[in-house]
Amino acid sequence: MQSRGKRAGKGARKTKTSVLLLVEGDETEKGYFELLKLVKGWHTPGIGVPGIALSIKSSKQNAIIAMVREAKKAVIQDSRNVVFIVLDEDENLPSQFQEACSDILKWNDSKKEGSGRVYFALTSPQFEAWLIAHHRQIPESCDKHWVVKEEERLGILEATQRKHPSRRKRVPSSFPVANYPQAAENIEQIDLNEYGASNATAIPALIQAIDKIAGN
């Protein structure tokens, strides 16, 4: 007969890592990552099965410094192990991003090993450029106006019932999110906490980081 201690240890639930994606958009970014979460199989661990406790939250903050405060709060008060802030270059000046990034790097360095960490995942000029990359190559130099026109031409997003201008479109359930490996080839890549060129994104680095946490 097995001892109680052995029975408790056999098939024990593996320790999970709590991850938060803090995104700017109520619809576009949140909808994309909800679809990606399903495709990638980022799930809560079961008995003997590795996994990840991943949640996606739309930030109510507009300023990057306020998002940093929100991310730190998630680590300190909500016991999040890792928080990724997903944001656009067009909403933040380079100087603001560099200031916030420097603050986060210092904050991460001050934490004990195993404590929560915060990272930025930037897309330039805006997140929709990453969505377009699922369909075609992104030109070497592009701006927000090109992204808006190309998104409309390709019909990537669908209309919502919300009246506020910033909430009129969302990622449809039919979006080819599984094409993310090809999307990574179609746009310049930068690392987490990095500010890049006018058509660069850290989303592939973010996906790789979450895969590593999830044990994929």
Side-chain angles (χ1 to χ4, degrees):
M1 180 176 179
Q2 287 182 319
S3 67
R4 181 173 299 178
K6 288 184 178 180
R7 286 203 307 271
K10 185 178 180 180
R13 189 178 297 272
K14 292 191 176 183
T15 302
K16 63 183 178 182
T17 301
S18 178
V19 177
L20 172 65
L21 292 184
L22 188 61
V23 303
E24 288 182 302
D26 283 336
E27 298 285 354
T28 306
E29 290 92 333
K30 192 172 188 296
Y32 175 83
F33 284 110
E34 291 287 2
L35 291 175
L36 185 64
K37 180 179 177 180
L38 294 175
V39 168
K40 294 292 294 180
W42 293 329
H43 54 78
T44 302
I47 297 176
V49 179
I52 183 173
L54 174 68
S55 56
I56 304 155
K57 177 184 178 183
S58 295
S59 176
K60 302 303 180 183
Q61 308 296 333
N62 292 322
I64 186 172
I65 299 300
M67 290 185 73
V68 169
R69 288 197 297 267
E70 187 175 356
K72 290 179 179 179
K73 181 179 178 181
V75 170
I76 297 171
Q77 296 187 7
D78 301 334
S79 301
R80 298 285 184 177
N81 298 108
V82 184
V83 179
F84 296 99
I85 302 175
V86 180
L87 71 166
D88 296 345
E89 182 269 340
D90 75 311
E91 298 290 343
N92 303 279
L93 296 174
S95 59
Q96 293 175 334
F97 176 79
Q98 295 294 353
E99 179 183 353
C101 189
S102 177
D103 175 58
I104 283 299
L105 290 175
K106 291 178 181 178
W107 191 75
N108 285 344
D109 288 342
S110 71
K111 305 292 287 183
K112 295 181 180 179
E113 185 175 354
S115 299
R117 296 290 188 272
V118 177
Y119 302 94
F120 287 110
L122 182 74
T123 299
S124 175
Q126 59 188 106
F127 186 77
E128 284 77 3
W130 169 247
L131 301 182
I132 293 171
H134 287 67
H135 297 269
R136 56 154 295 174
Q137 184 78 32
I138 303 299
E140 293 183 0
S141 180
C142 64
D143 56 18
K144 181 178 180 179
H145 298 293
W146 180 89
V147 171
V148 171
K149 289 182 178 179
E150 190 64 8
E151 180 275 310
E152 292 177 347
R153 185 185 73 82
L154 294 171
I156 292 175
L157 302 177
E158 65 180 9
T160 70
Q161 299 300 316
R162 299 189 180 189
K163 295 181 180 180
H164 192 282
S166 65
R167 300 175 180 175
R168 288 178 181 167
K169 293 184 177 182
R170 65 187 173 196
V171 176
S173 58
S174 59
F175 183 82
V177 67
N179 287 354
Y180 72 89
Q182 183 59 49
E185 297 294 327
N186 286 341
I187 189 171
E188 182 177 345
Q189 298 182 38
I190 55 176
D191 204 353
L192 297 172
N193 295 339
E194 183 179 352
Y195 191 93
S198 62
N199 64 332
T201 184
I203 301 302
L206 168 62
I207 294 173
Q208 292 172 12
I210 297 177
D211 272 343
K212 184 177 180 180
I213 294 170
N216 291 352

